[in-house]
Amino acid sequence: MPDAAVAARSSESTNSGTTQQVDVAVVGAGFAGLYLLHRLREAGFSTVVVEEAGDVGGTWYWNRYPGARCDIQTIDYGYTFDPELDRAWTWSEKYATQPEILRYFGFVADRYDLRRDIRFNTRVKAANWDDTSGRWQLVTDSGADVSCRYYIMATGCLSAPKPPEIDGVADFKGEIYFTGRWPHDEVKLAGKRVAVIGTGSSGIQSIPLIAEQAAQLTVFQRTPNFALPAHNGPAPDDRKTYFETDRAAYREQARWSLAGVPYPQEMAVSWQLNDAERRERFEKAWAAGDLVHILTQLWADQAVDFDGNALIGKLIHEKIRSVVKDPGIAAALSPHDHPFGAKRPCLDTNYYATYNRPNVTLVNLREEPITEITATGVKAGERTFDVDVIVFATGFDAMTGAIKAVYPITGRGGKSLSDVWANGPQTYLGLTVSGFPNLFMITGPGSPSVLSNMAVSIEQHVDWVVDRLAALRDAGFTTIDATETAQAGWAQHMADCSMLTLHRLANTWYTGANVPGKVQGLMPYTGGVGPYRSICNEIVSRGMLGFKLTGPNVAEQCNDGEVVRLQPDVRLVLGMLAEMNLPPIESMGALGARDFLTEFNKGRPAGRPVGEVGTGALMGADGPLPYRLYRPATPGPHPIVVYFHGGGWVLGDEQSDDPFCRDICRRSGMIVVSVGYRHAPEHRFPAAAEDGYAATRWIAEHAAELGGRPGPVLVAGWSAGGNIAAVTCQLARDRGGPQIAGQLLICPVTDCTFDRPSYTDNATGYFVTRSLMYWFWDIYCSPADRTDPRVSPLRGNLAGLPPAFVATCEFDPLRDEGIAYAEALATAGGSVEQLQARGHFHSSLMMVDVVITGVSGRVKMAEALRGFAGLPRKLEASGEGTSPITVNAAAG
Ligand code: N01
């Protein structure tokens, strides 16, 4: 019998004790549950929503503490699916109060007549998948149990309050309140001695208002948090005007943005701005009173680079000192243990100023930890604080707490979700779990959820899920289950994304660190709302990639695989390049391609300062060649790295890899001399190879003049430059010098055959294409010369060469010949270190300050160079300088 028909027959069963049959059961009547109900009804699915609370609103039903407000501007914090609804509701303030938000949900529920399908005051206790019927059986604590084809948890990320893990709470004889379960009746605090434990968003919002009422307020702070003044009032004109000018465009920009609020991607990095410029930006953000603004619009590296981030912390510390009169209290309130934004910052109204009040005391639990709660108050350190009321603003078992509160949830083969998640939540997209067919979570762990404007993420999730359910039904499928491969791929992608930002560097509820004993790991998706949306769309366009679909009368469909195999920032860069729709470089002609490269390079970040950049001329194989020298800021003499740029022996010059040369100079603490060797077609093989060798010899002979350390030099190169570096080592060995201490080969060309798998696997789509490589080879070298080791070093004698570091990229036609060269060097008895950069393409390790996941690869390169030169591998360990650049990301 069709699900809807079953449902129609059983609609009166709610209180009869028999099982209620529906197509879809939704748990939770908050933001997500209400929209789900509306969409599912529209799509023709019989639906019941089960809600523990007495009315709609989700988190806003429970969080009624003084000062509770949203901290995303109301203009962005609402449903957008219906422009009429959008127009029918006007918020009274920039940040609405909890009662107003609750009124909004009531308004939405009335407008779409939602309450008639919501079972309030009912909790789902357990959920079990029945493989035979292909349905979920939900056990409820009142009324009928529910049988449903699809079970959707819209239980929210911050809805399961964390129990206070402090001894003696039960002994306390006064009043106890939790911000996350605040009473519906008025709580009278006037004239009372109140303790607030916790200084997250809930504490920071409530403390100023509690201080106004209470006779005495004692705040127990474990970790100071960053708070920004909300400057609440009417919606700001700039946002309103932008919104009113083109509402649809505004909403669409939000949907494709990183955080779900329409702000552009900031491009200027912190070190390109001077102090005054940075301060101006900061003051503007401080005055704007907008978390998304201050979290995204200061400078491009604020969320990804520790140093760029630390600048903000210092500026906020200044603000705290300017408000809080007692310097000791100001210091205690100033966060020092986490990067700004790595822990959820707060919006406040008069928070810091509250500590100037005579009736407010701050207890720093880092110095005086709470030992117990007694019948009369709180003991911290050596002191006892007698109070009448304790407010626990201690937060939530976030992201997983409300899901796991339904216990057990058993999937295929009786597997329990708690067991499957014993080592941390595993999901595909944060929406599904392999082995739990037809179960969906809205904003589950693995979705952008709490790192985004929840309104935007929820709408996207709901639309995606309901559209999929409708498509399944139309195709005759009745079950959908994520594959293990897809889920493992998502976990890898999550881990890759987490290396991009600084969230992993703080102990927070994002990582589960706030709940004793909880497995720790970053739970929200840090890749951004727009990229996440594009991935979800890609899954559909690739035939429900990563899902197994079955139905009674259709053939099973399983399109297995991982949706994202590129590093997240590499994916973005390739996406941007694809959008530019550039003509193939080989169609431009050599001169045109050089002009194109020059123009193209103008758009990249400029590269960071080094001690000195100089230019000069050196003697090549057939005359002078230009060079560019990068000197560290530390006192010399430094070892010298002779560097050969990439460009297929045709393009580029001594400046074209400038950001990379700066980066390697800074990270290695060595002089880098980039050589302007001759190019084809003007100078064909073996001009580049011979120039490389001659330049290396000249530099070695003139090391002292260049300010370098006399003795062996090092060689390095990327792509065709890697080819020249490798060839130079062979020539130096065969021609009696110069002495070379080590070779760094990045994605090198090493051989003239094109039949290795990487040439086919990565023939197109990764910027450097197979046909571009053919073109380079044709311009540089006639077929008769191609087996000469001076262009195919893999065919040369590989014994007795300097130690090597060979970096290759997974999505590069040249990958396999680079690996082959590394292996052949090792076979020949050489010392070789390999970096096979997972998820990178030919150029991405070179994209300094663009592809952050390339940083750790370049750190390893620099360490290898230092090792070759006989220096401590880590620059910091050598005492030559302190923290030249923050290491914050990983390449494979
Ligand atoms: O919870 P929190 P929250 N002893 O976990 C401390 C959203 N929200 O309810 O940091 C002593 O942030 C704990 O200390 P520490 C928003 O996303 C939004 O305030 O773990 N102290 C911390 O100071 C927010 O981030 C709004 O060292 C203990 C505090 O309690 C999220 O909800 C408003 C302790 C908990 O802070 C959670 O905010 C409110 C112990 N045993 C919330 N245990 C809006 O404005 C914990 N603490 C939309």
Side-chain angles (χ1 to χ4, degrees), residues 117-156:
D117 281 322
I118 305 176
R119 287 173 54 185
F120 292 109
N121 301 309
T122 306
R123 196 169 66 80
V124 173
K125 293 199 296 186
N128 304 301
W129 169 252
D130 176 4
D131 227 358
T132 315
S133 63
R135 297 177 71 85
W136 281 93
Q137 311 300 329
L138 309 189
V139 182
T140 63
D141 71 346
S142 83
D145 289 346
V146 179
S147 165
C148 54
R149 175 75 64 203
Y150 300 103
Y151 165 38
I152 307 181
M153 301 197 78
T155 38

Side-chain angles (χ1 to χ4, degrees), residues 60 65 69-71 158 162 165-166 179 197-203 205 220 222-223 225 343-344 365-366 370 393-396 509 514:
W60 295 106
Y65 58 84
R69 287 177 190 272
C70 60
D71 59 8
L158 295 154
K162 188 172 77 97
E165 38 320 274
I166 302 172
T179 49
I197 302 177
T199 52
S201 299
S202 307
Q205 283 186 334
F220 294 87
R222 191 162 67 183
T223 311
N225 213 340
K343 190 178 182 118
R344 177 72 147 65
L365 299 182
R366 297 286 175 205
I370 297 180
T394 42
F396 300 88
W509 57 259
N514 67 326

Side-chain angles (χ1 to χ4, degrees), residues 585-598 647-652 679-682 775-776 779:
I585 293 172
E586 59 273 29
S587 70
M588 300 175 184
L591 294 182
R594 286 176 195 161
D595 290 345
F596 163 77
L597 186 68
T598 308
W649 308 285
V650 176
L651 314 176
H679 290 143
E682 296 86 348
W775 184 70
F776 283 144
I779 294 178

